[in-house]
Amino acid sequence: RELRLATPFSNGFLAIDTQNTLLRFKEGETEFEIVSANTAEGEAQSAVNFVQYGERIYVLTPLKNQIFRHQVILDKDLGPATPWLSEASDIASAVSISVDSTVWLAEPTRLRHFDRGTEISLDLSSIDPPLLNLRDIWTSTDHNFIYLLDIGLGRVVVLQKDNLAFIRQYTQDAFKTATSISVDAKTELL
């Protein structure tokens, strides 16, 4: 199977293949299993990123201007899609999502933040030069920072989550072709 998207999930990972089938691969297993999910119309086809947070899966679907949330059932299947954004928001250019009890979205030239479906205004003036082509973001509940992969400038920008203060940036030519970022929260290794 050729996978289009994947995210860590309960001792393995969830994936969407090129046929838009939702699959689960469990550590120690040798084959994928199809996940039963009551998705919104066109949700799998228009998904550009998805992530697990607690017992829920959040699916970023910019073409539908929505984030769909699914409850995980019996550590395997997904309950019905529930629209998560509570107010009309244009997220058509969103490319990545990260959840830490609130939702963070990456768009090519900006970072957006939502709490309970409502957007929170952000001041990103601490980032200099400004974001050029944001491709991915990473944070977690247990971490005070948010990491921004800016492939346009070949860098990872690190911001303090609570006030968006600039902490540091890492530059590397390899970041210009990277498609995603992951951080070891204990060692802060990228």
Side-chain angles (χ1 to χ4, degrees), residues 116-189:
R116 295 182 184 101
T118 302
E119 188 160 12
I120 301 167
S121 126
L122 298 179
D123 176 7
L124 297 177
S125 60
S126 68
I127 303 175
D128 187 28
L131 297 168
L132 182 62
N133 192 355
L134 191 54
R135 176 64 189 104
D136 197 20
I137 52 178
W138 182 91
T139 192
S140 75
T141 305
D142 303 325
H143 208 63
N144 295 325
F145 305 116
I146 185 159
Y147 294 76
L148 313 175
L149 174 62
D150 182 356
I151 62 173
L153 295 172
R155 66 183 176 167
V156 172
V157 176
V158 183
L159 302 176
Q160 183 77 31
K161 267 197 297 196
D162 62 355
N163 61 10
L164 298 177
F166 178 86
I167 301 300
R168 71 182 69 86
Q169 74 177 4
Y170 302 96
T171 58
Q172 188 71 240
D173 282 342
F175 292 144
K176 292 180 180 179
T177 56
T179 57
S180 63
I181 186 172
S182 182
V183 178
D184 182 311
K186 291 179 183 165
T187 63
E188 295 188 30
L189 289 175

